[in-house]
Amino acid sequence: MFFSIIIPLYNRPQEIKELLESLTHQTYKQFEVLVIEDGSVNDAKDIVTGFMHQLDLHYYVKTNEGQGFTRNFGFERAKGDYFIIFDSDILVPENYLEVVNHRLTTDYLDAYGGPDDAHPSFTPMQKAISYSMTSPFTTGGIRGNKKGIGQFHPRSFNMGVSRQVWQKVGGFIITRLGEDIEYSIRIHTADFKIGLIPEAKVYHKRRTSYQQFYKQLHFFGRSRINIYKFFPSELKAVHFFPAVFTLGLLFTVIANLLRWRIAVLGNLILIIFTVLIFFHSWYKNKSLKVAFLSIGAAFIQLTAYGLGFMQDYWKRVVLKKS
Protein backbone atom coordinates (compact mmCIF):
# COMPACT_ATOMS: atom_id res chain seq x y z
CA MET A 1 0.00 0.00 0.00
CA PHE A 2 1.25 3.46 -0.88
CA PHE A 3 0.64 6.22 1.68
CA SER A 4 0.43 9.97 1.18
CA ILE A 5 1.35 11.86 4.35
CA ILE A 6 -0.25 15.32 4.37
CA ILE A 7 1.07 17.99 6.74
CA PRO A 8 -0.40 21.52 6.91
CA LEU A 9 2.17 24.02 8.13
CA TYR A 10 1.78 27.51 9.53
CA ASN A 11 4.79 29.44 10.91
CA ARG A 12 6.44 26.37 12.49
CA PRO A 13 9.68 25.68 10.62
CA GLN A 14 11.49 24.03 13.53
CA GLU A 15 8.64 21.64 14.18
CA ILE A 16 8.50 20.44 10.58
CA LYS A 17 12.25 19.80 10.66
CA GLU A 18 11.87 17.41 13.59
CA LEU A 19 8.82 15.72 12.04
CA LEU A 20 10.53 15.18 8.68
CA GLU A 21 13.62 13.85 10.43
CA SER A 22 11.47 11.24 12.19
CA LEU A 23 9.92 10.22 8.85
CA THR A 24 13.35 9.50 7.35
CA HIS A 25 13.65 6.57 9.80
CA GLN A 26 10.45 4.76 8.80
CA THR A 27 10.96 1.01 8.33
CA TYR A 28 8.15 0.95 5.73
CA LYS A 29 9.24 2.97 2.70
CA GLN A 30 6.21 3.13 0.40
CA PHE A 31 5.08 6.69 1.07
CA GLU A 32 5.27 10.28 -0.07
CA VAL A 33 5.11 13.44 2.03
CA LEU A 34 3.19 16.59 1.12
CA VAL A 35 4.03 19.70 3.16
CA ILE A 36 1.59 22.55 2.51
CA GLU A 37 2.63 25.99 3.72
CA ASP A 38 -0.65 27.68 4.65
CA GLY A 39 0.26 31.33 4.09
CA SER A 40 3.11 31.32 6.60
CA VAL A 41 5.13 34.48 7.21
CA ASN A 42 7.98 32.43 8.71
CA ASP A 43 8.15 29.70 6.08
CA ALA A 44 10.09 26.44 6.10
CA LYS A 45 11.15 26.26 2.46
CA ASP A 46 14.89 25.93 3.15
CA ILE A 47 14.30 23.29 5.83
CA VAL A 48 11.88 21.23 3.73
CA THR A 49 14.05 21.29 0.60
CA GLY A 50 16.91 19.98 2.72
CA PHE A 51 15.02 16.68 3.05
CA MET A 52 14.23 16.29 -0.66
CA HIS A 53 17.09 13.79 -1.15
CA GLN A 54 15.91 11.64 1.79
CA LEU A 55 12.14 11.55 1.22
CA ASP A 56 9.65 11.51 -1.65
CA LEU A 57 8.75 15.05 -0.63
CA HIS A 58 6.53 17.69 -2.21
CA TYR A 59 6.36 21.28 -0.94
CA TYR A 60 3.49 23.66 -1.71
CA VAL A 61 2.75 27.25 -0.76
CA LYS A 62 -0.79 28.64 -0.69
CA THR A 63 -2.78 31.48 0.83
CA ASN A 64 -3.93 31.06 4.41
CA GLU A 65 -7.21 29.16 4.79
CA GLY A 66 -6.75 27.11 7.96
CA GLN A 67 -5.79 23.50 8.50
CA GLY A 68 -8.98 21.86 7.22
CA PHE A 69 -8.94 23.39 3.75
CA THR A 70 -5.16 23.01 3.59
CA ARG A 71 -5.59 19.26 4.05
CA ASN A 72 -8.09 19.31 1.17
CA PHE A 73 -5.38 20.96 -0.93
CA GLY A 74 -3.16 17.98 -0.10
CA PHE A 75 -5.88 15.41 -0.84
CA GLU A 76 -6.28 16.84 -4.34
CA ARG A 77 -2.57 16.37 -5.08
CA ALA A 78 -1.86 13.11 -3.25
CA LYS A 79 -0.97 9.98 -5.21
CA GLY A 80 -1.47 7.42 -2.46
CA ASP A 81 -4.02 4.69 -1.89
CA TYR A 82 -4.36 6.01 1.64
CA PHE A 83 -3.99 9.52 3.06
CA ILE A 84 -2.42 10.09 6.48
CA ILE A 85 -2.90 13.45 8.20
CA PHE A 86 -0.39 14.69 10.75
CA ASP A 87 -0.10 17.93 12.68
CA SER A 88 3.31 19.57 12.40
CA ASP A 89 4.02 19.26 16.14
CA ILE A 90 4.48 15.49 16.28
CA LEU A 91 7.27 12.93 16.05
CA VAL A 92 6.58 9.61 14.33
CA PRO A 93 8.00 6.32 15.70
CA GLU A 94 10.06 4.46 13.11
CA ASN A 95 7.61 1.52 12.90
CA TYR A 96 4.48 3.68 12.53
CA LEU A 97 3.79 3.01 8.83
CA GLU A 98 4.71 -0.65 9.23
CA VAL A 99 2.11 -0.96 12.01
CA VAL A 100 -0.57 0.83 9.98
CA ASN A 101 0.13 -1.16 6.82
CA HIS A 102 -0.06 -4.43 8.75
CA ARG A 103 -3.45 -3.50 10.23
CA LEU A 104 -4.88 -2.35 6.91
CA THR A 105 -3.76 -5.51 5.12
CA THR A 106 -5.10 -7.86 7.82
CA ASP A 107 -8.23 -6.10 9.10
CA TYR A 108 -9.00 -3.20 6.77
CA LEU A 109 -10.27 0.14 7.98
CA ASP A 110 -11.57 2.88 5.69
CA ALA A 111 -10.40 5.45 8.23
CA TYR A 112 -8.40 5.20 11.43
CA GLY A 113 -6.98 7.21 14.26
CA GLY A 114 -4.11 6.59 16.62
CA PRO A 115 -3.21 7.73 20.14
CA ASP A 116 -0.58 10.23 21.21
CA ASP A 117 2.01 10.27 23.96
CA ALA A 118 4.98 12.25 25.26
CA HIS A 119 8.46 11.48 23.95
CA PRO A 120 11.27 11.07 26.52
CA SER A 121 13.00 14.12 25.01
CA PHE A 122 10.05 16.44 25.73
CA THR A 123 10.33 19.11 28.42
CA PRO A 124 8.62 18.52 31.80
CA MET A 125 5.93 21.04 30.80
CA GLN A 126 5.23 19.20 27.53
CA LYS A 127 5.04 15.90 29.40
CA ALA A 128 2.63 17.39 31.94
CA ILE A 129 0.38 18.77 29.19
CA SER A 130 0.52 15.44 27.37
CA TYR A 131 -0.43 13.66 30.59
CA SER A 132 -3.40 15.97 31.12
CA MET A 133 -4.64 15.43 27.57
CA THR A 134 -4.56 11.63 27.98
CA SER A 135 -5.41 11.25 31.67
CA PRO A 136 -8.40 9.17 32.85
CA PHE A 137 -9.11 11.93 35.38
CA THR A 138 -9.78 14.55 32.70
CA THR A 139 -11.85 14.45 29.52
CA GLY A 140 -8.59 13.62 27.75
CA GLY A 141 -9.06 10.09 29.03
CA ILE A 142 -11.81 9.37 26.48
CA ARG A 143 -9.49 10.04 23.52
CA GLY A 144 -7.38 7.50 21.69
CA ASN A 145 -8.22 4.41 23.71
CA LYS A 146 -10.40 1.33 23.39
CA LYS A 147 -12.82 2.45 26.10
CA GLY A 148 -13.88 5.73 24.52
CA ILE A 149 -17.44 6.97 24.82
CA GLY A 150 -19.70 6.54 21.79
CA GLN A 151 -18.36 6.40 18.24
CA PHE A 152 -14.62 6.68 17.80
CA HIS A 153 -13.70 9.93 16.06
CA PRO A 154 -10.11 10.09 14.76
CA ARG A 155 -8.34 13.37 15.47
CA SER A 156 -6.32 15.17 12.84
CA PHE A 157 -2.99 15.06 14.67
CA ASN A 158 -2.91 11.33 13.78
CA MET A 159 -5.57 10.26 11.30
CA GLY A 160 -5.82 8.25 8.09
CA VAL A 161 -8.51 7.98 5.40
CA SER A 162 -8.63 5.89 2.25
CA ARG A 163 -8.81 7.39 -1.20
CA GLN A 164 -12.30 5.86 -1.47
CA VAL A 165 -13.44 7.88 1.56
CA TRP A 166 -12.21 11.09 0.01
CA GLN A 167 -13.84 10.28 -3.34
CA LYS A 168 -17.23 9.58 -1.73
CA VAL A 169 -17.33 11.87 1.31
CA GLY A 170 -15.07 14.63 0.04
CA GLY A 171 -12.79 16.60 2.31
CA PHE A 172 -13.24 18.99 5.19
CA ILE A 173 -16.19 21.40 4.97
CA ILE A 174 -15.04 23.57 7.87
CA THR A 175 -11.43 24.56 8.33
CA ARG A 176 -11.25 25.14 12.11
CA LEU A 177 -13.27 24.62 15.31
CA GLY A 178 -13.65 20.84 15.37
CA GLU A 179 -13.19 20.20 11.66
CA ASP A 180 -11.70 16.73 12.25
CA ILE A 181 -14.59 15.49 14.40
CA GLU A 182 -17.14 16.85 11.92
CA TYR A 183 -15.28 15.00 9.14
CA SER A 184 -15.20 11.77 11.16
CA ILE A 185 -18.95 11.94 11.76
CA ARG A 186 -19.62 12.28 8.02
CA ILE A 187 -17.37 9.27 7.36
CA HIS A 188 -19.39 7.27 9.91
CA THR A 189 -22.64 8.45 8.32
CA ALA A 190 -21.45 7.20 4.92
CA ASP A 191 -21.13 3.69 6.44
CA PHE A 192 -17.36 3.44 6.18
CA LYS A 193 -15.48 1.35 8.73
CA ILE A 194 -13.56 3.50 11.23
CA GLY A 195 -11.37 2.25 14.05
CA LEU A 196 -8.57 2.93 16.46
CA ILE A 197 -5.14 1.44 15.81
CA PRO A 198 -3.72 1.50 19.36
CA GLU A 199 -0.18 0.72 18.24
CA ALA A 200 -0.13 3.59 15.70
CA LYS A 201 1.11 6.05 18.29
CA VAL A 202 2.73 9.41 17.69
CA TYR A 203 4.58 11.70 20.08
CA HIS A 204 2.65 14.96 20.33
CA LYS A 205 4.45 18.07 21.55
CA ARG A 206 1.30 20.17 21.97
CA ARG A 207 2.08 23.44 23.77
CA THR A 208 5.14 24.54 25.72
CA SER A 209 3.53 26.79 28.36
CA TYR A 210 0.37 27.02 30.45
CA GLN A 211 -0.64 30.18 28.57
CA GLN A 212 -0.46 28.49 25.16
CA PHE A 213 -2.24 25.44 26.55
CA TYR A 214 -5.05 27.60 27.92
CA LYS A 215 -5.61 29.23 24.52
CA GLN A 216 -5.66 25.87 22.76
CA LEU A 217 -8.16 24.28 25.17
CA HIS A 218 -10.41 27.34 25.17
CA PHE A 219 -10.54 26.92 21.41
CA PHE A 220 -11.37 23.20 21.82
CA GLY A 221 -14.28 24.07 24.10
CA ARG A 222 -15.69 26.40 21.48
CA SER A 223 -15.15 23.71 18.84
CA ARG A 224 -17.51 21.33 20.62
CA ILE A 225 -20.37 23.81 20.18
CA ASN A 226 -19.45 24.23 16.52
CA ILE A 227 -19.80 20.46 16.07
CA TYR A 228 -23.14 20.57 17.91
CA LYS A 229 -24.45 23.08 15.36
CA PHE A 230 -23.80 20.49 12.62
CA PHE A 231 -24.77 17.38 14.59
CA PRO A 232 -26.91 18.11 17.71
CA SER A 233 -26.97 14.43 18.72
CA GLU A 234 -23.18 14.45 19.14
CA LEU A 235 -23.32 16.66 22.24
CA LYS A 236 -23.01 14.14 25.09
CA ALA A 237 -23.23 14.54 28.86
CA VAL A 238 -19.44 14.07 29.16
CA HIS A 239 -18.88 17.22 27.11
CA PHE A 240 -20.50 19.26 29.87
CA PHE A 241 -18.07 17.96 32.51
CA PRO A 242 -15.42 20.69 32.09
CA ALA A 243 -18.13 23.38 32.35
CA VAL A 244 -19.54 21.73 35.50
CA PHE A 245 -16.00 21.48 36.94
CA THR A 246 -15.35 25.15 36.16
CA LEU A 247 -18.61 26.30 37.78
CA GLY A 248 -17.92 24.06 40.78
CA LEU A 249 -14.43 25.53 41.15
CA LEU A 250 -15.81 29.07 40.98
CA PHE A 251 -18.53 28.24 43.50
CA THR A 252 -15.97 26.73 45.88
CA VAL A 253 -13.78 29.85 45.70
CA ILE A 254 -16.78 32.09 46.45
CA ALA A 255 -17.95 29.77 49.26
CA ASN A 256 -14.52 29.98 50.87
CA LEU A 257 -14.45 33.76 50.63
CA LEU A 258 -17.91 33.99 52.20
CA ARG A 259 -17.09 31.23 54.72
CA TRP A 260 -20.04 29.05 53.77
CA ARG A 261 -20.01 25.58 55.34
CA ILE A 262 -20.50 23.91 51.98
CA ALA A 263 -17.00 25.11 51.04
CA VAL A 264 -15.66 22.15 53.05
CA LEU A 265 -17.20 19.71 50.56
CA GLY A 266 -15.85 21.63 47.57
CA ASN A 267 -12.39 21.78 49.11
CA LEU A 268 -12.45 18.03 49.80
CA ILE A 269 -13.39 17.22 46.18
CA LEU A 270 -10.62 19.47 44.84
CA ILE A 271 -8.05 17.97 47.20
CA ILE A 272 -8.97 14.42 46.14
CA PHE A 273 -8.81 15.43 42.46
CA THR A 274 -5.42 17.08 42.96
CA VAL A 275 -3.99 14.08 44.81
CA LEU A 276 -5.21 11.68 42.12
CA ILE A 277 -3.64 13.76 39.37
CA PHE A 278 -0.34 14.09 41.24
CA PHE A 279 0.18 10.42 42.10
CA HIS A 280 -1.11 9.07 38.81
CA SER A 281 1.16 11.42 36.83
CA TRP A 282 4.09 10.55 39.11
CA TYR A 283 3.44 6.86 38.47
CA LYS A 284 3.16 7.38 34.70
CA ASN A 285 6.06 9.79 34.21
CA LYS A 286 8.40 8.81 37.07
CA SER A 287 9.03 12.50 37.76
CA LEU A 288 7.98 14.67 40.72
CA LYS A 289 8.38 17.82 38.63
CA VAL A 290 6.08 16.53 35.89
CA ALA A 291 3.60 15.39 38.55
CA PHE A 292 3.44 18.89 40.07
CA LEU A 293 3.12 20.51 36.63
CA SER A 294 0.37 18.02 35.74
CA ILE A 295 -1.84 19.47 38.47
CA GLY A 296 -1.75 22.90 36.85
CA ALA A 297 -2.21 21.40 33.37
CA ALA A 298 -5.28 19.43 34.46
CA PHE A 299 -6.93 22.47 36.04
CA ILE A 300 -6.14 24.58 32.98
CA GLN A 301 -7.44 21.91 30.60
CA LEU A 302 -10.80 21.64 32.34
CA THR A 303 -11.36 25.34 33.07
CA ALA A 304 -10.19 26.60 29.66
CA TYR A 305 -12.33 24.04 27.84
CA GLY A 306 -15.23 24.75 30.18
CA LEU A 307 -15.07 28.52 29.65
CA GLY A 308 -14.81 28.16 25.86
CA PHE A 309 -17.71 25.69 25.88
CA MET A 310 -19.93 27.97 28.02
CA GLN A 311 -19.00 31.06 25.99
CA ASP A 312 -20.14 29.62 22.68
CA TYR A 313 -23.04 27.67 24.20
CA TRP A 314 -24.45 30.94 25.51
CA LYS A 315 -23.75 32.85 22.31
CA ARG A 316 -24.65 30.26 19.68
CA VAL A 317 -27.23 28.02 21.40
CA VAL A 318 -29.00 30.28 23.88
CA LEU A 319 -28.76 33.59 22.01
CA LYS A 320 -28.68 31.81 18.60
CA LYS A 321 -25.97 34.06 17.19
CA SER A 322 -23.86 32.86 14.28
Side-chain angles (χ1 to χ4, degrees), residues 45 47 82 113 130 142 193 214 236 238 250 254 265 314:
K45 181 179 179 180
I47 290 173
Y82 217 96
S130 178
I142 67 173
K193 184 179 178 182
Y214 178 91
K236 310 295 185 183
V238 69
L250 178 61
I254 294 173
L265 176 61
W314 176 256

Side-chain angles (χ1 to χ4, degrees), residues 82-100:
Y82 217 96
F83 307 152
I84 296 176
I85 303 166
F86 287 147
D87 282 351
S88 62
D89 59 346
I90 66 162
L91 302 175
V92 186
E94 63 182 16
N95 68 337
Y96 178 93
L97 290 177
E98 187 174 345
V99 165
V100 171

